[in-house]
Amino acid sequence: MFENFKARAETSGNTEVKRFATTALALGFIEEFLEKEEVKDETGSYAVWAKSPILEQFDNEAMAQKFPGLNFKVTRELAKGAKVGITQLKWGLAETGSMAQDSTDVEQRLASALAWIHVAILPTSKIIADIPALMTKMHPKYDKYITLITGASKTADIERVLAIGVHGPERLVIVCVDDLELEGVAS
Amino acid sequence: MKEGMSASIHKALENQNLAGILDRWNYPATRAKAFEGVDFEALRSKIAGIKGEAAGRLDELAETFKKNAEANGIKVFRANSAEAARQYIANLCKEKGVKKIVKSKSMATEEIHLNHFLDEFGIQSDETDLGEWICQLAHQTPSHMVMPALHLTKEEISDLFAEETKQPLDNDIQKLVKVARKAIREKFFEADMGISGANIAIAETGSIVICTNEGNARLVTTLPKVHVALVGLEKLVPNYTDAAPILAALPRNATSQLMTSYASFISAPTLNDDRTMKEVHIVLMDNNRIKMAEDPKFKEALQCIRCAACLNVCPVYRLVTGHVFGDIYTGGIGTILTAWFNELKSAEDIQALCIGCDKCKEICPGKIDIPGLILEIRRRAATKEGLPFIYKSALQVINNRKVFHTMLRTASVLQKPFVKEGFIRHLPMFLSGLSEYRSLPSVAAVPFRDVFKTIKQPKCTEKAAFYAGCALDFVYPDAGVAIVKILNKAGIEVLFPEEQSCCGIPHWGSGSFDMAADAAERNILPLLEGNPEYVVVSCASCTTALKKEWIKILKEQHRESLIPDAKKVASRTYMFTELVDKLIKEKRLTPKEGIELHTLTYHDSCHAKRHVGVFKEPRDALSAAGYEIKEMNECDTCCGMGGSYTLKQPEISMQMLKRKLQNIEETGAEFVTAECPGCLIQLRGGLDKSGSKVKAIHPAELMVDKFK
């Protein structure tokens, strides 16, 4: 499943898929990533991290101190100027390389739709086959606003030439974590 | 055809920007890749089933949707007319004090000219889909249903953006997109209301599904405090799981993607970022859709999922582009939707653009017979207003064998001053346009029906009735002679029923189904005389008539008594190469050994490939007969003949021919063959005019001396 998911996701446009055995390794990668992207407390340079189960796995305060531009509260203004938006996704779909987000909570949408780079955390175990499979897991009765995300924001509206990053992220980094098994409010 | 239409066709053909863009795309190849591992036939049967069933109960589904969406907290308004939809949205704007709106692409709002209407109330609506925004800046309508601004060049777009943003810009597409991102982003935050469309509306859950690649729909439904979705009733499906096959087909067929970047299921209002509750309104719009669903023929068109694949493959759309081929909804399906959501009148000119090649039917994920429905528009117009006098007279002449054949015989004499090597290369004065790009064939000195009487045949137990069709009879009698020789060689005696006359396809194609039924009636019994095992047809179009259309037309015209005989004819009918392939495989025809190898390229006539599904057999037969087949690019794309199309739309027809000739030349083959004398007239004439070395020839003539 993972291999198919990775292959399909990586052909969907400006998307990288990383896989880590443990949450600790994944967090290490995210820290490195924030460093590399020079996240700091300035418009266009900071990061927002929307409510996610993975946040319970480490000391948020400590990480926020390390990266003064890292915010765990997502407002429309913060999201608008964010370079990096981090969210945790609920399901991955192997057939199309898509991820399913429960975006009922507006913060999930703001962080993943407005930032330049969307970092998507996905438990590897949550990769399932396709949309019909997803429909047995997520239902509009419980999830009022579901979004399938496949690749970065793109357009071919000018002369049918592909351009990445129109209204949404121009880069999608998917962080698959093998030991992340959290249920609940995962988005 | 109105003058304006013909002028706009001319203008569109001069500006080949969009055509060039679609060509560079190579849609068929990228689409095939997107469908790898997917059973397209099964998928589209599923979609056609779901949507077809839904179309049968739109009213009920709309009520279920309303009930369920309202239970979720969404306000649902059923608008019967465009006016009612506009008024509801305008009132809502007034009530909420809305001054600025951001829109995510919605064809339904285009359909009711919503922006213009709101503008009158001083409300500014900004399109956020890049293509739509470009059209808005240019004060134009979309030219493609998925990529609305495809007709504009990057230079034109750069100028529009420079004017809008008051800064000088270069023509780099990547940079232009970023300029748009920046300019539109502020609008999302300033807007009081977001308006979207919907790709799917699910009755069971009261949800709408919206797909975009740019992500604008997520912002339009997230940032402003009020969200209004304008949804045509045909977007309704009964169940949640019905959305899955539609989402599997839509992006693959539309843009060769596995999925669009974003697909959102919105089922209830959610909290805004200031913790207030969003207001969500869904306007379910009828605007003649229920009436369409009640029409036994046009109900099928409601199975459309708006992928626009019918535009991408249409050889005419690719030439004339969207502003000629439609208005809001463009291309093949657009012609049909325009007739119902706008008015039949405005679709009448557009319908004449369809050449009936069936390319679109082949890839339609809703299994809609688009050309058939366009023909139905034509038929209704012809029934209501009658055909133009000259055209009607011509069709009547064709249907009167004696008069028509006498005319052809006279023509063979009168044409003499213009004929050279079997071609008419120049015609005088007002007829000159007909021979401008293509030499015309001359009428044979002696028609096949006369030649046939002089052919001595062996007496065999097995018999085949030969249906020659007008063009072979009077233009290419040599092909007829070759067919008789080959069948004789397989031990089949050929009968030529004298009474045979035009198959009726020209009448059918112009919407005169009664005349087409007359044609069927005149031929059916003569073809069964002598109880032949086979009915052999040397023309793909006539084969379609014999195998399929006669039965349908007779049913349609309530001439049921003839149907059993029509079915008998249909079951015995073979296209010539189809029968030869069968005879070779049954070892009744044995190819000679050690013959010199020649190369050919096979042009699939639209009727052969898509109406009767014969494309493998001719290739097999020709290969067995010793030819190396060099496939051309777009081998099954129409050559532009299309019967009377070449006379009615000469400019389009000739552009299609030009493209076909180029594809033929690129193969380097010695011959091009097609089993349709119509295609052969077009190809042979075009090759002659361009001075090509390639010979266009009927398969029978290529195979005549290749069997032991």
Side-chain angles (χ1 to χ4, degrees):
Chain A
M1 282 292 197
F2 172 80
E3 287 309 321
N4 282 339
F5 170 80
K6 180 180 161 79
R8 291 289 164 94
E10 288 189 334
T11 51
S12 62
N14 269 25
T15 302
E16 307 134 62
V17 180
K18 314 275 176 198
R19 182 178 182 174
F20 301 95
T22 65
T23 303
L25 287 170
L27 287 169
F29 167 77
I30 291 171
E31 282 199 25
E32 262 174 53
F33 186 83
L34 296 177
E35 242 163 69
K36 212 171 113 210
E37 293 301 326
E38 296 174 9
V39 165
K40 54 180 180 286
D41 197 8
E42 267 170 39
T43 298
S45 302
Y46 55 76
V48 289
W49 195 326
K51 223 180 291 159
S52 311
I54 196 173
L55 295 182
E56 292 164 21
Q57 303 292 299
F58 63 97
D59 184 344
N60 300 182
E61 261 319 294
M63 193 176 309
Q65 274 185 3
K66 199 165 167 194
F67 299 97
L70 178 58
N71 305 278
F72 292 104
K73 180 159 174 44
V74 189
T75 64
R76 65 161 56 202
E77 286 72 27
L78 277 174
K80 187 182 178 186
K83 182 175 190 183
V84 180
I86 308 173
T87 68
Q88 183 169 333
L89 280 294
K90 245 185 165 168
W91 300 96
L93 306 180
E95 192 204 14
T96 53
S98 314
M99 291 173 297
Q101 178 184 56
D102 175 359
S103 31
T104 307
D105 184 348
V106 67
E107 287 192 20
Q108 303 298 328
R109 266 176 277 155
L110 294 172
S112 61
L114 285 163
W116 271 107
I117 306 168
H118 177 206
V119 175
I121 300 166
L122 180 70
T124 316
S125 62
K126 294 295 181 71
I127 298 172
I128 52 177
D130 49 19
I131 293 175
L134 177 73
M135 284 175 160
T136 66
K137 312 271 185 193
M138 286 181 96
H139 194 280
K141 212 185 220 168
Y142 312 104
D143 310 289
K144 293 173 179 173
Y145 194 135
I146 303 167
T147 300
L148 302 180
I149 299 175
T150 316
S153 157
K154 54 178 111 46
T155 187
D157 274 351
I158 303 179
E159 296 196 356
R160 237 211 65 81
V161 171
L162 182 69
I164 307 275
V166 198
H167 303 301
E170 64 164 15
R171 206 176 143 198
L172 175 61
V173 180
I174 303 175
V175 180
C176 292
V177 193
D178 293 357
D179 75 350
L180 194 59
E181 281 285 2
L182 295 158
E183 289 286 348
V185 289
S187 300
Chain B
M1 189 174 57
K2 290 192 196 83
E3 290 256 335
M5 186 71 168
S6 140
S8 55
I9 288 173
H10 184 73
K11 208 175 125 201
L13 291 173
E14 299 263 289
N15 174 6
Q16 286 289 288
N17 178 49
L18 174 54
I21 290 164
L22 285 174
D23 285 345
R24 286 198 295 279
W25 181 7
N26 194 10
Y27 172 75
T30 54
R31 176 182 175 273
K33 192 153 171 38
F35 273 105
E36 264 173 20
V38 177
D39 182 346
F40 179 63
E41 285 308 318
L43 181 62
R44 71 172 177 163
S45 291
K46 211 167 178 182
I47 293 170
I50 291 167
K51 300 277 291 183
E53 196 219 322
R57 49 189 187 110
L58 287 182
D59 196 47
E60 176 208 327
L61 289 178
E63 281 311 304
T64 311
F65 180 90
K66 185 170 153 69
K67 193 182 90 209
N68 291 326
E70 282 178 344
N72 298 345
I74 293 174
K75 298 196 171 84
V76 179
F77 174 69
R78 285 191 63 180
N80 290 331
S81 63
E83 181 52 32
R86 285 192 293 256
Q87 209 57 59
Y88 179 85
I89 297 170
N91 288 345
L92 186 63
C93 289
K94 209 169 139 193
E95 190 189 308
K96 301 283 159 197
V98 171
K99 290 279 162 239
K100 288 183 176 181
I101 293 173
V102 276
K103 288 179 65 205
S104 178
K105 191 187 171 197
S106 152
M107 296 300 291
T109 60
E110 290 277 353
E111 179 185 325
I112 64 168
H113 305 288
L114 184 65
N115 292 4
H116 182 69
F117 184 78
L118 294 176
D119 196 36
E120 285 171 15
F121 296 89
I123 301 164
Q124 187 193 328
S125 319
D126 284 305
E127 297 293 345
T128 63
D129 171 83
L130 180 60
E132 281 286 313
W133 192 57
I134 293 167
C135 287
Q136 189 176 31
L137 294 179
H139 304 289
Q140 292 180 3
T141 52
S143 64
H144 187 285
M145 284 199 278
V146 172
M147 293 165 284
L150 213 53
H151 58 290
L152 293 167
T153 63
K154 59 180 188 292
E155 289 78 13
E156 288 166 312
I157 292 165
S158 167
D159 289 347
L160 287 170
F161 283 10
E163 200 182 315
E164 174 68 14
T165 60
K166 314 262 180 295
Q167 54 174 313
L169 296 170
D170 66 23
N171 301 329
D172 182 277
I173 290 174
Q174 306 298 334
K175 284 188 200 157
L176 288 173
V177 170
K178 293 292 181 283
V179 169
R181 175 185 171 113
K182 203 168 156 228
I184 297 172
R185 176 159 284 217
E186 290 308 319
K187 298 178 193 291
F188 288 118
F189 285 86
E190 291 164 5
D192 313 300
M193 177 187 277
I195 297 184
S196 74
N199 294 85
I200 308 168
I202 305 168
E204 181 195 10
T205 58
S207 321
I208 53 170
V209 185
I210 313 175
C211 301
T212 73
N213 272 314
E214 297 178 6
N216 51 326
R218 298 175 84 205
L219 298 178
V220 159
T221 59
T222 296
L223 294 169
K225 291 194 174 173
V226 184
H227 169 211
V228 178
L230 180 66
V231 185
L233 286 182
E234 78 285 8
K235 300 293 173 67
L236 283 162
V237 295
N239 303 310
Y240 175 44
T241 49
D242 294 336
I246 298 172
L247 288 175
L250 180 62
R252 286 182 166 96
N253 232 27
T255 47
S256 312
Q257 286 174 279
L258 298 180
M259 266 300 282
T260 49
S261 297
Y262 308 100
S264 297
F265 291 67
I266 302 175
S267 312
T270 49
L271 288 176
N272 289 311
D273 52 322
D274 66 356
R275 300 289 130 190
T276 58
M277 185 56 79
K278 186 178 299 296
E279 218 179 294
V280 182
H281 296 251
I282 295 176
V283 180
L284 284 179
M285 184 170 69
D286 180 351
N287 199 24
N288 227 23
R289 285 158 170 85
I290 288 187
K291 210 168 153 213
M292 193 176 190
E294 285 164 358
D295 187 292
K297 291 247 164 76
F298 285 96
K299 172 177 174 262
E300 189 181 302
L302 295 169
Q303 285 160 211
C304 174
I305 60 168
R306 307 282 191 276
C307 68
C310 55
L311 280 57
N312 296 339
V313 300
C314 173
V316 179
Y317 175 86
R318 285 175 17 166
L319 286 172
V320 303
T321 76
H323 287 151
V324 180
F325 213 143
D327 179 12
I328 291 147
Y329 299 105
T330 54
I333 190 69
T335 308
I336 298 160
L337 300 180
T338 302
W340 282 85
F341 304 160
N342 197 336
E343 54 168 348
L344 185 58
K345 198 101 209 86
S346 50
E348 276 171 14
D349 263 356
I350 314 169
Q351 63 78 19
L353 291 170
C354 174
I355 195 168
C357 75
D358 272 24
K359 265 276 203 190
C360 54
K361 193 176 161 183
E362 204 173 36
I363 47 112
C364 176
K367 265 194 156 173
I368 305 168
D369 180 4
I370 297 166
L373 292 179
I374 292 177
L375 188 57
E376 182 61 18
I377 293 175
R378 201 171 291 169
R379 189 186 72 82
R380 289 186 190 184
T383 315
K384 204 171 87 214
E385 304 193 358
L387 290 171
F389 175 73
I390 294 185
Y391 199 57
K392 190 173 179 183
S393 314
L395 287 173
Q396 279 165 344
V397 166
I398 296 172
N399 241 4
N400 185 326
R401 183 176 69 79
K402 285 198 178 126
V403 175
F404 183 41
H405 288 179
T406 309
M407 267 178 68
L408 287 168
R409 285 172 197 270
T410 313
S412 86
V413 180
L414 291 180
Q415 70 187 0
K416 273 188 181 148
F418 309 107
V419 175
K420 213 177 157 193
E421 297 155 21
F423 285 115
I424 298 171
R425 295 201 172 104
H426 303 284
L427 282 169
M429 298 189 302
F430 68 94
L431 293 171
S432 64
L434 294 179
S435 59
E436 195 179 335
Y437 306 92
R438 179 192 73 192
S439 305
L440 294 170
S442 56
V443 178
V446 186
F448 175 72
R449 53 179 62 235
D450 292 355
V451 178
F452 180 77
K453 292 174 193 149
T454 66
I455 305 173
K456 237 181 116 163
Q457 284 195 74
K459 284 274 166 232
C460 313
T461 48
E462 236 183 17
K463 292 182 176 54
F466 182 14
Y467 184 83
C470 314
L472 183 127
D473 198 351
F474 286 87
V475 181
Y476 297 135
D478 291 351
V481 174
I483 287 170
V484 177
K485 278 190 187 163
I486 293 171
L487 293 181
N488 287 166
K489 203 152 256 183
I492 298 169
E493 185 184 336
V494 180
L495 311 171
F496 188 86
E498 275 281 313
E499 290 302 306
Q500 64 176 276
S501 60
C502 175
C503 66
I505 287 282
H507 311 85
W508 173 78
S510 55
S512 299
F513 286 18
D514 51 341
M515 283 200 260
D518 290 345
E521 269 202 58
R522 259 190 290 279
N523 285 296
I524 289 172
L525 291 179
L527 285 174
L528 293 172
E529 253 169 56
N531 198 22
E533 273 81 4
Y534 311 105
V535 177
V536 184
V537 192
S538 54
C539 162
S541 302
C542 304
T543 309
T544 306
L546 272 64
K547 276 197 183 191
K548 284 171 70 186
E549 301 304 338
W550 283 354
I551 299 170
K552 273 180 18 203
I553 291 163
L554 291 169
K555 248 182 219 161
E556 171 113 17
Q557 296 292 311
H558 306 294
R559 304 192 196 180
E560 278 87 3
S561 62
L562 257 179
I563 292 176
D565 285 325
K567 284 186 175 162
K568 213 182 263 181
V569 170
S571 67
R572 297 176 192 188
T573 297
Y574 285 83
M575 211 165 90
F576 167 70
T577 49
E578 188 189 3
L579 182 60
V580 170
D581 179 52
K582 177 177 147 74
L583 295 169
I584 294 172
K585 283 175 181 151
E586 287 170 0
K587 304 208 183 307
R588 294 174 59 185
L589 279 173
T590 312
K592 284 180 188 163
E593 288 140 26
I595 43 177
E596 190 195 349
L597 196 65
H598 289 280
T599 54
L600 66 79
T601 189
Y602 186 80
H603 164 67
D604 291 281
S605 305
C606 302
H607 279 112
K609 171 88 187 280
R610 286 178 292 274
H611 287 238
V612 292
V614 178
F615 57 96
K616 195 174 171 293
E617 299 86 344
R619 287 176 167 82
D620 285 356
L622 286 158
S623 304
Y627 289 92
E628 182 198 340
I629 298 176
K630 294 184 157 187
E631 294 290 353
M632 70 174 104
N633 181 29
E634 299 179 342
C635 57
D636 66 351
T637 296
C638 180
C639 63
M641 181 65 183
S644 57
Y645 194 89
T646 179
L647 303 175
K648 288 179 179 168
Q649 309 283 6
E651 269 197 287
I652 298 172
S653 162
M654 292 313 156
Q655 288 291 342
M656 287 166 76
L657 172 62
K658 232 166 106 181
R659 194 184 168 98
K660 180 56 69 171
L661 294 179
Q662 194 186 330
N663 284 328
I664 292 170
E665 295 290 352
E666 278 167 10
T667 63
E670 294 162 75
F671 301 103
V672 56
T673 189
E675 200 164 353
C676 169
C679 301
L680 284 177
I681 288 173
Q682 178 88 336
L683 299 176
R684 201 181 272 197
L687 290 166
D688 178 69
K689 203 79 186 181
S690 68
S692 170
K693 284 190 192 131
V694 186
K695 288 186 200 69
I697 188 163
H698 194 280
E701 289 178 86
L702 285 172
M703 295 196 281
V704 68
D705 54 354
K706 304 292 185 196
F707 298 105
K708 277 184 197 160

